[in-house]
């Protein structure tokens, strides 16, 4: 199971690739859930018919959407003053049958669960849980509560949603990582930021705890990670982006966690990580400057080598990226509007390039319409708010696929293992 730390917030792609089946079986491609830059709606594109089949009202345009690891639920951060978070059921149900997976389509709709709080930010899912971290307000602005809300997926599936909460000691740009068996990694606030005297102090945590929820959230391990940002899990190995390298944690047979530091090859850092197959990939750059490179991360190694760094062509920034399910192809959408495909291993190589959309501002929080990248199965999808279209690209054949004319200004999107 892969646990992905999602920074690419916006529409959710819910689908999958099934193995070959007998002639009487129909393999469904799934649904794409997407928001709009101008209209306060959440819509569904049926990838089997190419038609927009459902539309739901939301309080305002451009909701931030994160797809859960099971591909069924979408966490909807509304973006209002109340910090409202809703949960949307795509209606896609999967049933494994050994050599293939059956996909059924049920009625989609919002789940009867609403969260509110100060500055909802990082959303993670895995090991049967969804976590939403409310960062709290800057301490020098006003008092506030920072917390992590923990939602069991089984409750959403059964129509009886539940919620646990962990209260942070102080505001922080934090993260709660589910590990299974009531164990969690929980970030700890930066003391300088929490004190509130220094307005230049970073909201990023400098460490995190291993805690046992069954024992009153008691810390049973502590790990340093200066200016922590970015997380991914691959085959039980957790990677956290830190200012002094990647914190790599792996459980041993006795249930204890061993921590090692994965050294960067130079003075740059990584703050967003994606994982698939046997490899991880992070963005790479100098803090305070645009990131213009990618870093290949081998979880079994102790450090990165210069050859693990890939400088993005044409001086482009990282912007949005996702690692395909094969664990070999990195999909990258840059501000010049081009979609680039890179072979990650054994050596970095650009293998395809498409003029996907018009150039756009990929700065965080840009007010102009922003295309978004999502993956499902062996396809990449890019929303085009200017053309009112969602473009498909086939990763296996490296060819441009269908264009879905959906109207409006489709923009917000998230799906598949992603960073950016």
């Amino acid at each position: 199971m892969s646990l992905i730390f999602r920074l690419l917030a916006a529409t959710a792609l819910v689908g999958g690739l099934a193995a070959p089946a007998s002639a009487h079986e129909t393999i469904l491609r799934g649904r794409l859930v997407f928001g709009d830059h101008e209209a306060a709606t959440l819509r569904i594109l049926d990838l089997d018919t190419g038609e927009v089949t459902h539309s739901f009202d939301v309080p305002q345009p451009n909701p931030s959407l994160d797809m859960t690891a099971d591909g069924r639920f979408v966490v909807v951060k509304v973006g209002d003053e109340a910090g409202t978070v809703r949960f949307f059921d795509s209606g896609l149900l999967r049933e494994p049958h050994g050599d293939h997976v059956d996909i059924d389509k049920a009625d989609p709709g919002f789940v009867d669960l609403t969260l509110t709080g100060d500055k909802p930010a990082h959303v993670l899912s895995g090991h049967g849980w969804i976590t939403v971290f409310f960062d709290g307000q800057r301490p020098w602005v006003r008092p506030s509560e920072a917390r992590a809300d923990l939602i069991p997926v089984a409750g959403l599936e059964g129509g009886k949603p539940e919620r646990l909460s962990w209260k942070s000691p102080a505001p922080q740009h934090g993260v709660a990582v589910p590990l299974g068996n009531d164990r969690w990694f929980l970030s700890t606030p930066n003391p300088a930021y929490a004190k509130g005297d220094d307005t230049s102090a970073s909201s990023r945590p400098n460490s995190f705890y291993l805690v046992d929820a069954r024992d009153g959230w008691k810390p049973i391990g502590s790990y340093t990670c200066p200016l922590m940002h970015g997380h991914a899990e691959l085959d039980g190995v957790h990677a956290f982006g830190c200012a002094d390298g990647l914190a790599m944690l792996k459980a041993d047979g006795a249930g204890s966690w061993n921590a090692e530091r994965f050294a960067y090859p130079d003075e740059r850092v990584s703050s967003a990580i994606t994982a698939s197959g046997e490899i991880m990939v992070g963005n790479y750059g100098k803090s305070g400057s645009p990131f213009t490179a990618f870093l290949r991360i081998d979880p079994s190694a102790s450090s990165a080598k210069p050859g693990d760094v890939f400088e993005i062509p044409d001086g482009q920034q990282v912007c949005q990226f996702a690692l395909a399910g094969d664990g070999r192809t990195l999909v990258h959408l840059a501000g010049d509007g081009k979609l680039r495909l890179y072979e990650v291993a054994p050596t970095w190589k650009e293998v395809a390039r498409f003029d996907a959309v018009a150039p756009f501002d990929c700065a965080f929080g840009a007010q102009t319409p922003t295309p978004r990248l999502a993956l499902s199965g062996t396809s990449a999808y890019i929303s085009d708010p200017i053309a009112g279209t969602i473009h498909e690209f086939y990763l296996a054949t490296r060819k441009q696929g269908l264009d879905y004319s959906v109207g409006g200004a489709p923009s917000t999107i998230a799906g598949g293992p992603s960073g950016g």
Side-chain angles (χ1 to χ4, degrees):
M1 169 178 277
S2 176
L3 180 62
I4 303 300
F5 178 53
R6 303 187 187 283
L7 299 174
L8 185 67
T11 79
L13 181 58
V14 283
L17 191 68
S22 58
H24 71 278
E25 293 172 321
T26 301
I27 303 300
L28 303 179
R29 303 182 66 204
R31 290 166 166 166
L32 174 63
V33 183
F34 62 98
D36 194 280
H37 181 77
E38 299 173 350
T41 60
L42 198 65
R43 292 187 285 164
I44 292 181
L45 171 65
D46 189 305
L47 296 174
D48 295 296
T49 66
E51 300 293 329
V52 174
T53 56
H54 300 79
S55 180
F56 300 85
D57 293 335
V58 290
Q60 59 189 50
N62 267 341
S64 173
L65 312 178
D66 291 274
M67 186 181 70
T68 57
D70 63 1
R72 175 174 174 178
F73 296 98
V74 180
V75 182
V76 182
K77 289 182 286 186
V78 171
D80 59 359
E81 289 295 325
T84 302
V85 178
R86 298 291 309 276
F87 295 82
F88 184 80
D89 187 347
S90 71
L92 281 186
L93 310 175
R94 291 171 174 79
E95 184 178 355
H97 288 278
D99 64 339
H100 69 279
V101 176
D102 286 345
I103 303 176
D104 291 327
K105 295 176 182 175
D107 291 335
F110 281 100
V111 176
D112 186 19
L113 176 64
T114 300
L115 312 177
T116 58
D118 279 317
K119 301 180 69 174
H122 291 149
V123 175
L124 280 74
S125 65
H127 299 278
W129 290 85
I130 302 168
T131 72
V132 181
F133 208 101
F134 291 86
D135 289 355
Q137 188 55 261
R138 293 180 176 88
W140 52 86
V141 174
R142 62 170 173 83
S144 64
E145 178 186 83
R147 73 178 196 273
D149 281 353
L150 319 171
I151 315 299
V153 174
L156 298 180
E157 293 173 340
K160 296 181 179 180
E162 302 174 1
R163 179 186 68 169
L164 299 177
S165 289
W166 173 80
K167 185 177 180 180
S168 173
Q172 57 166 315
H173 188 44
V175 63
V177 181
L179 304 174
N181 298 319
D182 292 313
R183 297 286 180 91
W184 301 81
F185 286 137
L186 297 172
S187 60
T188 58
N190 175 4
Y193 178 78
K195 190 175 181 180
D197 295 339
D198 182 2
T199 59
S200 66
S202 175
S203 63
R204 295 184 178 184
N206 282 333
S207 62
F208 57 95
Y209 286 131
L210 169 65
V211 304
D212 189 335
R214 292 171 296 188
D215 194 13
W217 302 101
K218 178 182 177 180
I220 54 178
S222 180
Y223 311 92
T224 61
C225 184
L227 299 177
M228 183 177 76
H229 201 279
H231 165 268
E233 178 191 352
L234 185 64
D235 294 333
V237 178
H238 291 260
F240 295 85
C242 317
D244 58 353
L246 295 171
M248 308 290 284
L249 286 96
K250 184 177 182 179
D252 60 23
S256 299
W257 287 84
N258 301 315
E260 297 179 353
R261 190 66 92 220
F262 181 94
Y264 298 129
D266 52 43
E267 73 281 0
R268 289 175 286 183
V269 300
S270 182
S271 64
I273 312 167
T274 178
S276 183
E278 299 179 352
I279 206 74
M280 298 179 178
V281 173
N283 63 353
Y284 200 54
K286 294 184 178 180
S287 296
S289 301
F291 282 28
T292 58
F294 291 112
L295 178 66
R296 181 177 58 223
I297 303 162
D298 180 356
S300 65
S302 60
S303 64
K305 302 177 178 61
D308 291 322
V309 179
F310 180 74
E311 305 294 341
I312 298 173
D314 307 321
Q316 291 297 306
Q317 300 178 28
V318 166
C319 204
Q320 302 174 37
F321 66 99
L323 190 58
D326 62 8
R328 298 188 301 271
T329 305
L330 189 73
V331 186
H332 173 219
L333 177 64
D336 60 1
K338 298 185 187 303
L339 179 71
R340 296 172 172 87
L341 306 183
Y342 309 120
E343 187 176 273
V344 176
T347 59
W348 283 101
K349 180 171 62 175
E350 181 177 328
V351 294
R353 181 184 298 201
F354 306 94
D355 293 321
V357 293
F360 63 95
D361 184 357
C362 72
F364 180 78
Q367 298 302 305
T368 52
T370 303
R372 296 290 181 174
L373 168 67
L375 303 187
S376 181
T378 58
S379 289
Y381 297 86
I382 297 177
S383 62
D384 189 338
I386 302 301
T389 301
I390 295 174
H391 306 291
E392 182 177 14
F393 299 86
Y394 303 134
L395 302 181
T397 60
R398 301 170 183 170
K399 303 291 184 182
Q400 187 161 354
L402 301 174
D403 289 332
Y404 300 94
S405 179
V406 297
S411 59
T412 53
I413 188 169
S418 58

